Amino acid sequence: DAGVIQSPRHEVTEMGQEVTLRCKLISGHNSLFWYRQTMMRGLELLIYFNNNVPIDDSGMPEDRFSAKMPNASFSTLKIQPSEPRDSAVYFCASSLDRVSGNTIYFGEGSWLTVV
Amino acid sequence: LAKTTQPISMDSYEGQEVNITCSHNNIATNDYITWYQQFPSQGPRFIIQGYKTKVTNEVASLFIPADRKSSTLSLPRVSLSDTAVYYCLVGVYNQGGKLIFGQGTELSVKP
């Protein structure tokens, strides 16, 4: 399996522009997580889905951020409008939901710079 | 949510055994303990997971005492390539919990 695939790997955009980050889950996985990582705040959980349904979005910073799962294998994280403080690495991770513990698999991240 | 506490950083030398201890005093009955490794410019990578006693795989061992209020990740004979940040997580996300990463332990292995 190719693992969790994220795109773009790197993006530089101007303040006010819309940013869309994409994620393809590992085949067969049914849970999807979006994390954000910065030096100051470490790894923050933004939102996670189970079977395409958002379970907890309490980590989403504000209304400028939105995430969707249009199908079982794909997700997008959108920032509109973007601001310089959104600059971070955004990780997508997926997992197979099971009762006896769980392991989440991360993608390589999308490095976002908002200038 | 079970909060975890780990040392911020550790230094070691090649060939030594490294033990990183994580405290999780309010761990819940259903919680599992999972350790992840993160190299610079990469996403975190699963190392090992356990519920109680001892778990061993080809990469590491995980020791969990009977009260489960702490756990110790043991890396045998580290090499320079083991320099990374190691995160201890406690939880079971699929039962309403969330997998929350703490600050992690930055391990530096020197020659």
Side-chain angles (χ1 to χ4, degrees), chain A residues 31 33 35 37 43 48 56 58 91 95-104 106-108 111, chain B residues 32 34 36 38 41-46 49 87 91-101:
Chain A
S31 290
F33 304 79
Y35 285 87
Q37 187 171 36
L43 264 168
Y48 78 94
D56 191 327
S58 60
F91 289 105
S95 181
L96 176 61
D97 185 6
R98 49 194 172 96
V99 175
S100 57
N102 52 76
T103 301
I104 56 176
F106 283 79
E108 291 300 305
W111 297 70
Chain B
Y32 278 71
T34 311
Y36 286 81
Q38 186 177 25
S41 305
Q42 294 186 24
R45 183 176 71 104
F46 170 86
Q49 182 180 81
Y87 295 96
V92 181
Y93 76 90
N94 59 341
Q95 295 184 14
K98 295 190 288 189
L99 288 179
I100 305 297
F101 283 79

Side-chain angles (χ1 to χ4, degrees), chain A residues 12-31:
Chain A
V12 180
T13 190
E14 292 185 343
M15 181 174 61
Q17 296 297 308
E18 178 179 289
V19 173
T20 299
L21 307 178
R22 298 173 177 81
C23 175
K24 183 177 184 299
L25 283 68
I26 292 174
S27 178
H29 282 190
N30 61 351
S31 290

Side-chain angles (χ1 to χ4, degrees), chain B residues 27-40:
Chain B
I27 187 170
T29 302
N30 294 333
D31 286 343
Y32 278 71
I33 301 158
T34 311
W35 286 79
Y36 286 81
Q37 175 192 56
Q38 186 177 25
F39 297 115

Side-chain angles (χ1 to χ4, degrees), chain A residues 71-85:
Chain A
N71 58 57
S73 62
F74 183 75
S75 176
T76 59
L77 177 67
K78 187 172 293 187
I79 308 172
Q80 167 64 17
S82 59
E83 297 182 3
R85 59 189 168 127

